[in-house]
Amino acid sequence: MNIWANHITNLTDGRYFAAYNAAWISFCFNPESPDFIAPNVAVGIAGWLEGPQMAGSFGRQQTDDDIRNMAESLNLQAVVLNIEHDATTLEDLPVFWEISTKQLDDDFENLLSLVANKAFATCFILHFETQKTTFNDFFETQKAAFEALKQATEQASFYLKMNFEATDLRLIAQELPHLQGIVLQGGEEEAVGIKSFDELDEIMTYFE
């Protein structure tokens, strides 16, 4: 199971996740997002990191040409787009499609349809927007939805983005053996180069 380090905004987070051998580090280039990072800042952070591949997230208002030009100029290994993004000319780029549970209307059978109907995709990221939902909660209380998710992970490559607890990781590995990985996110620094990783540390012990 791999780590996707999401929307990195500072070198401290980048180094932390790289030290745990994160497979991917992503930056948000959507100017309408609170996680937006200037491309030159992202390049500066990426230059200090070894190991992870680099991805960029883009908004629906950004054109295919804008996305392609940034992906090429920043040497991104993948782009992340919302599943509703009309990216008709990006078939040749590695695209990760992000799907929120709100877009599924809580009907996970829709997830199987989205996977089957997406003409080109490198991977999918499923985002549980209700952040209080842990994997254990989902597994225990939404059996039909879980089975649909399990089928989807068997048909396509998936990362899971939700409120993880340390105890979830072994359960995820056991119940979703085909899952590509999980999405984790850092946060703001207390000062340049200074921040606490106490909450993440509990989760990361699984990857040691």
Side-chain angles (χ1 to χ4, degrees), residues 19 49 53 79 143 160 162 170 179-180 186 208:
L49 305 179
Q53 297 191 82
V79 299
K143 293 298 185 182
L160 204 56
M162 66 193 308
R170 294 194 184 282
L179 185 72
Q180 190 71 25
E208 290 180 339

Side-chain angles (χ1 to χ4, degrees), residues 17-18 40 43 45 47 80 87 101 104 107 111 132 135-136 155 163 171 174 182-183 192-193 197 206:
F17 286 112
N40 64 309
V43 168
I45 293 172
V80 183
T101 50
L104 297 177
D107 182 357
L111 182 62
K132 292 183 179 179
F135 182 80
N136 186 69
Q155 296 175 17
N163 180 34
L171 182 62
Q174 175 182 324
I182 62 171
V183 179
V192 176
F197 290 101
Y206 176 85

Side-chain angles (χ1 to χ4, degrees), residues 64-85:
D64 286 9
D65 285 343
D66 290 339
I67 294 168
R68 181 183 301 283
N69 290 337
M70 288 190 67
E72 291 177 355
S73 65
L74 301 176
N75 194 29
L76 300 177
Q77 281 78 58
V79 299
V80 183
L81 306 175
N82 186 275
I83 194 71
E84 294 177 353
H85 197 123

